[in-house]
Amino acid sequence: MVHNDRVNQDLKDLGVQDLQSDQVQGATIITRSHGLDLQRLKNFQKSNKVIETVCPYVKKIYDRVQEANQKDYGVLVLGMKNHPEVEGILSRAREGYVVSGPQDLEKIPKNKNYVLVSQTTNRKDFFNSLVN
């Protein structure tokens, strides 16, 4: 749930379990700080109590993505393609692309306006190398 083995062990000692399946009903689900894919979150909310603990910085990115959708802008996400945070961000974008390196920029349509967001755990030098 968090990047801290001791905290995770303390939670397990209290009876908190990692989710092994999306086929859960009647449970209390605590989301991870990186957030969840939007459709997955909605599915959980149908038959479970969901406590969202998404990081405030990630939530701010979700808000930026919503603003981009309203303006019909695409979303460029600087980050790791299969990272849960990036997946959650992309799931909220009407049109989104992951940029993990310069080669990814070549695949993005040029005839559109974009909002640029970054995975919150990116290092500053990684961000700067792609933006500059």
Side-chain angles (χ1 to χ4, degrees), residues 15-69:
V16 175
Q17 301 174 12
D18 286 335
L19 202 60
Q20 301 299 319
S21 166
D22 285 2
Q23 307 303 316
V24 178
Q25 293 187 6
T28 298
I29 296 173
I30 303 169
T31 63
R32 62 188 313 166
S33 59
H34 293 301
L36 286 176
D37 174 274
L38 184 58
Q39 190 56 52
R40 189 172 185 217
L41 176 63
K42 287 179 179 181
N43 287 340
F44 285 142
Q45 289 172 330
K46 289 178 185 175
S47 58
N48 300 283
K49 177 182 178 183
V50 177
I51 301 170
E52 287 195 68
T53 60
V54 65
C55 166
Y57 297 116
V58 175
K59 173 69 173 103
K60 192 170 188 172
I61 293 172
Y62 290 170
D63 294 342
R64 295 275 189 257
V65 170
Q66 183 59 36
E67 292 169 13
N69 289 340

Side-chain angles (χ1 to χ4, degrees), residues 6-128:
R6 182 169 172 236
V7 170
N8 285 330
Q9 187 58 53
D10 289 347
L11 291 169
K12 285 180 184 178
D13 291 347
L14 291 170
V16 175
Q17 301 174 12
D18 286 335
L19 202 60
Q20 301 299 319
S21 166
D22 285 2
Q23 307 303 316
V24 178
Q25 293 187 6
T28 298
I29 296 173
I30 303 169
T31 63
R32 62 188 313 166
S33 59
H34 293 301
L36 286 176
D37 174 274
L38 184 58
Q39 190 56 52
R40 189 172 185 217
L41 176 63
K42 287 179 179 181
N43 287 340
F44 285 142
Q45 289 172 330
K46 289 178 185 175
S47 58
N48 300 283
K49 177 182 178 183
V50 177
I51 301 170
E52 287 195 68
T53 60
V54 65
C55 166
Y57 297 116
V58 175
K59 173 69 173 103
K60 192 170 188 172
I61 293 172
Y62 290 170
D63 294 342
R64 295 275 189 257
V65 170
Q66 183 59 36
E67 292 169 13
N69 289 340
Q70 291 170 353
K71 293 179 180 179
D72 198 31
Y73 288 4
V75 176
L76 303 180
V77 184
L78 298 184
M80 296 181 291
K81 184 176 185 177
N82 295 316
H83 191 280
E85 180 181 330
V86 172
E87 291 174 349
I89 294 166
L90 283 177
S91 73
R92 288 160 172 79
R94 189 174 298 134
E95 181 180 351
Y97 302 91
V98 179
V99 179
S100 298
Q103 72 282 358
D104 296 324
L105 294 170
E106 298 168 11
K107 303 171 192 170
I108 297 168
K110 306 289 188 253
N111 60 344
K112 187 163 186 88
N113 291 317
Y114 294 95
V115 168
L116 176 67
V117 297
S118 176
Q119 179 181 328
T120 60
T121 54
N122 279 338
R123 292 173 41 112
K124 189 175 181 179
D125 58 338
F126 170 77
F127 180 87
N128 289 336

